Amino acid sequence: MREPVEFTIGSQTYRAEPMDAKTQQHVARRVQPLLVSILPSITAMIPAGTLDKLKENPGALLDMNLQETVMPGLEAASNLLAQMPDETYDYVQAKCLSRVKRKRDGDAGWINIWATQSERLLDDNMDGADSVAIMAKVLVVELAPFFFGLVSKSIAAAQP
């Protein structure tokens, strides 16, 4: 069983519970066009030998500077995101944010950040940029198996 992954955005610590296989597959197929648009940029930035290490520990992707890595593919990804139907975006957002909890101040446990029934953020101090950053972290970890399959094929195709 996969373990939850913790990450920090700003001064807040978050924990993302793993998606079940069915949800993971549904999210992957919805964001696949975005993933493919930034794949060449990511592939070019991964140092030799790193891919095997990341396969063993997908959470290590959270430590990479993904903003610099994907910058060349962001225009294509932004265009695809703008064309994404609201229903698709809402689905991905709900599936990502519903499994995330924020660490309470003073180590008082964890609290959900997403209201599943009303499909909204529970923390009034969070904004759209925060939710997108959290979604990106969740997608990186959850789609790592799909990502590695695409990257491996891309690297193999680029080699003489």
Side-chain angles (χ1 to χ4, degrees), residues 71-123:
M71 196 59 74
L74 283 182
E75 184 176 348
S78 294
N79 290 336
L80 288 168
L81 188 60
Q83 296 169 11
M84 184 182 283
D86 288 347
E87 301 81 36
T88 301
Y89 183 84
D90 291 347
Y91 178 88
V92 172
Q93 180 185 46
K95 295 303 179 184
C96 288
L97 298 181
S98 66
R99 49 209 3 88
V100 177
K101 297 177 186 293
R102 180 180 51 81
K103 191 172 192 176
R104 291 180 185 217
D105 294 335
D107 286 334
W110 299 86
I111 186 168
N112 291 333
I113 66 164
W114 185 255
T116 304
Q117 289 279 351
S118 59
E119 294 192 339
R120 67 175 187 82
L121 290 169
L122 290 171
D123 187 341

Side-chain angles (χ1 to χ4, degrees), residues 24-157:
Q24 187 183 45
Q25 291 169 10
H26 282 294
V27 168
R29 71 183 179 86
R30 284 173 171 87
V31 299
Q32 186 262 348
L34 291 172
L35 185 61
V36 170
S37 72
I38 62 173
L39 182 63
S41 303
I42 293 173
T43 302
M45 297 296 291
I46 294 178
T50 303
L51 190 58
D52 290 332
K53 291 177 186 172
L54 292 174
K55 283 181 184 178
E56 294 171 15
N57 180 17
L61 280 167
L62 297 178
D63 297 330
M64 294 176 68
N65 187 344
L66 294 178
Q67 185 173 358
E68 284 181 18
T69 302
V70 301
M71 196 59 74
L74 283 182
E75 184 176 348
S78 294
N79 290 336
L80 288 168
L81 188 60
Q83 296 169 11
M84 184 182 283
D86 288 347
E87 301 81 36
T88 301
Y89 183 84
D90 291 347
Y91 178 88
V92 172
Q93 180 185 46
K95 295 303 179 184
C96 288
L97 298 181
S98 66
R99 49 209 3 88
V100 177
K101 297 177 186 293
R102 180 180 51 81
K103 191 172 192 176
R104 291 180 185 217
D105 294 335
D107 286 334
W110 299 86
I111 186 168
N112 291 333
I113 66 164
W114 185 255
T116 304
Q117 289 279 351
S118 59
E119 294 192 339
R120 67 175 187 82
L121 290 169
L122 290 171
D123 187 341
D124 291 335
N125 294 321
M126 292 178 67
D127 59 22
D130 293 330
S131 68
V132 169
I134 293 168
M135 286 172 55
K137 299 278 189 182
V138 171
L139 288 170
V140 164
V141 172
E142 289 300 325
L143 300 185
F146 301 97
F147 168 78
F148 290 125
L150 291 171
V151 169
S152 296
K153 289 177 186 172
S154 179
I155 291 172

